[in-house]
Amino acid sequence: MVRYKQQGPWAGQLLIANLRGDQMLRIQLDPQQPDRVLQTSTLFHDEYGRFRDVLEAEDGSIYFMTNNRDGRGRPRASDDQIIRLIPRFP
């Protein structure tokens, strides 16, 4: 699932839940040319297992859902989860 953030602390970024890669991908886009990628990075690689979905709440928090008990992932005692990330503001 791909989400493009237009405002808030995640503005100009694509956040991608990556089932097969066991991570969230973050892609920073150029604000002047949104079809141009400035930087890519991974978040939480192998920390939570498979990422099913990611979305941003109105307060800028990011929620993501893990999915490891569907017969394809590596189930852990704490699966499946909905996790909230609260951004730090300067």
Side-chain angles (χ1 to χ4, degrees), residues 4-5 11-14 27-39:
Y4 176 65
K5 305 300 156 202
Q13 299 184 53
L14 291 172
I27 300 173
Q28 178 70 44
L29 301 175
D30 184 334
Q32 305 304 316
Q33 298 176 333
D35 60 340
R36 182 174 169 234
V37 173
L38 295 177
Q39 181 179 4

Side-chain angles (χ1 to χ4, degrees), residues 5-83:
K5 305 300 156 202
Q6 296 181 340
Q7 46 188 301
W10 299 96
Q13 299 184 53
L14 291 172
L15 299 177
I16 304 167
N18 189 234
L19 279 167
R20 185 176 274 298
D22 293 349
Q23 64 195 356
M24 185 186 310
L25 300 175
R26 181 173 64 178
I27 300 173
Q28 178 70 44
L29 301 175
D30 184 334
Q32 305 304 316
Q33 298 176 333
D35 60 340
R36 182 174 169 234
V37 173
L38 295 177
Q39 181 179 4
T40 61
S41 58
T42 60
L43 303 173
F44 312 112
H45 185 257
D46 282 334
E47 289 184 42
Y48 295 101
R50 301 168 73 228
F51 284 69
R52 171 64 64 183
D53 201 359
V54 58
L55 67 92
E56 181 182 20
E58 290 194 24
D59 67 355
S61 296
I62 297 294
Y63 288 87
F64 62 89
M65 180 174 66
T66 65
N67 186 224
N68 299 298
R69 293 180 185 234
D70 64 354
R72 297 182 200 161
R74 294 178 310 275
R76 300 172 187 169
S78 59
D79 290 336
D80 289 331
Q81 301 182 67
I82 296 175
I83 298 167

